[in-house]
């Protein structure tokens, strides 16, 4: 299958150590033997820190986004380093480059592309652009909840949710650079119009990628 995977920066950069990158490299290398893999990496805490500094100096939200994009691309370079020869050595800056690099039969790893698009949106657009069969969104929790499970013990996880329900869920969220939660509206609209099979799963365990592709019941499926 042609697979697009988005990895939250809060997961892969949580400890700012090589171990998580190496864990993901091992799993992705294994999956690449059977599937065509595209990966989009988020910015995480380093991006938020840089954005906070820029915002404190009066930078516009677009400028803050641009700074965050640079951090996501640095994170992508780190994952490429961990993947060694299994990944294309350059980070694509747009979707045409991602498609071009994929002709090498290597894993393609990218970060952000342009202001106002979270890396989740980049993943959704990329999935449509390359005609992927599945989009896997890896987060710091087990799936989509009705409220923050870190703060509410009674939070309920959805096993399935429609794209329209997610649109309603996100409608009242404030969208600022570095504050995207799960998907932004662009990502949801792309999934909705393209009918891309999408799974939200916990990325703390990279092995969950294998479970998703083996059709095990895990995470939240957007229908």
């Amino acid at each position: 299958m042609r697979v697009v995977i988005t990895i939250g920066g809060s997961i892969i950069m949580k400890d700012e150590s090589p171990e998580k990158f190496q864990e993901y490299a091992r799993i992705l290398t294994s999956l690449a033997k059977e599937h065509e893999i595209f990966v989009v990496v988020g910015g995480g805490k380093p991006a938020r820190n840089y954005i906070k500094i820029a915002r404190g100096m009066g930078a516009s939200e677009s400028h803050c986004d641009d700074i965050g994009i640079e951090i996501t691309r640095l994170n992508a370079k780190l994952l490429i380093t961990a993947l060694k020869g299994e990944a294309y050595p350059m980070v694509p800056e747009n979707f045409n480059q991602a498609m071009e690099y994929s002709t090498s039969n290597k894993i393609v790893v990218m970060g952000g592309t342009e202001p106002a698009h979270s890396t989740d949106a980049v993943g959704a657009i990329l999935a449509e652009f390359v005609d992927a069969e599945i989009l896997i969104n890896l987060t710091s929790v087990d799936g989509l909840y009705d409220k923050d499970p870190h703060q509410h013990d009674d939070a309920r996880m959805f096993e399935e949710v429609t794209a329209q329900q997610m649109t309603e869920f996100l409608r009242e969220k404030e969208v600022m650079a570095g504050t995207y939660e799960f998907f932004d509206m662009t990502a949801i609209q792309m999934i909705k119009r393209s009918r891309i099979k999408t799974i939200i799963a916990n990325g703390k365990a990279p092995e969950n990628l294998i479970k998703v592709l083996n059709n095990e019941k895990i995470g939240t499926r957007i229908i």
Side-chain angles (χ1 to χ4, degrees):
M1 291 193 295
R2 182 170 285 177
V3 181
V4 173
I5 300 162
T6 63
I7 306 175
S10 61
I11 298 166
I12 205 161
M13 285 296 290
K14 181 181 179 182
D15 299 318
E16 297 186 12
S17 65
E19 284 75 17
K20 187 61 71 175
F21 285 92
Q22 291 168 333
E23 287 179 38
Y24 266 104
R26 177 174 56 83
I27 296 297
L28 292 169
T29 297
S30 172
L31 293 176
K33 294 176 181 177
E34 297 183 30
H35 306 287
E36 186 178 357
I37 305 293
F38 295 81
V39 183
V40 181
V41 183
K45 185 178 178 181
R48 289 192 294 273
N49 288 342
Y50 273 84
I51 288 168
K52 181 180 178 180
I53 294 169
R55 190 175 286 132
M57 294 187 289
S60 68
E61 287 303 304
S62 291
H63 192 165
C64 289
D65 266 333
D66 193 54
I67 289 170
I69 288 167
E70 292 299 322
I71 304 303
T72 66
R73 290 173 179 171
L74 286 175
N75 290 346
K77 287 183 179 181
L78 288 175
L79 183 55
I80 289 171
T81 300
L83 284 161
K84 302 185 186 300
E86 300 298 323
Y88 191 82
M90 302 292 290
V91 177
E93 297 185 358
N94 56 59
F95 305 109
N96 282 312
Q97 283 185 351
M99 179 65 88
E100 176 187 345
Y101 295 172
S102 72
T103 61
S104 66
N105 295 319
K106 302 281 188 179
I107 298 169
V108 175
V109 185
M110 65 188 298
T113 55
E114 59 186 89
H117 284 174
S118 69
T119 45
D120 290 333
V122 172
I125 297 169
L126 178 63
E128 181 181 76
F129 194 90
V130 303
D131 196 22
E133 294 169 70
I134 186 170
L135 170 62
I136 305 172
N137 178 263
L138 298 176
T139 74
S140 60
V141 292
D142 292 335
L144 177 68
Y145 289 79
D146 58 353
K147 46 191 164 184
D148 189 343
H150 294 304
Q151 299 181 16
H152 302 277
D153 292 336
D154 61 342
R156 181 174 62 91
M157 192 187 89
F158 300 101
E159 291 187 3
E160 289 187 343
V161 64
T162 66
Q164 183 59 40
Q165 286 173 324
M166 285 201 72
T167 299
E168 297 296 326
F169 181 78
L170 291 170
R171 183 160 287 156
E172 297 181 359
K173 298 286 185 180
E174 183 178 16
V175 178
M176 296 176 67
T179 62
Y180 303 108
E181 184 174 0
F182 290 105
F183 291 100
D184 62 14
M185 199 64 75
T186 300
I188 293 300
Q189 292 301 325
M190 296 301 295
I191 291 168
K192 186 176 179 180
R193 82 176 189 181
S194 303
R195 300 181 178 271
I196 302 165
K197 179 181 179 181
T198 305
I199 307 291
I200 302 171
N202 196 321
K204 293 178 182 177
E207 294 80 6
N208 283 340
L209 277 173
I210 297 173
K211 294 180 180 180
V212 171
L213 292 174
N214 285 340
N215 291 316
E216 294 185 34
K217 197 171 183 179
I218 183 174
T220 300
R221 180 178 179 182
I222 302 177
I223 57 174

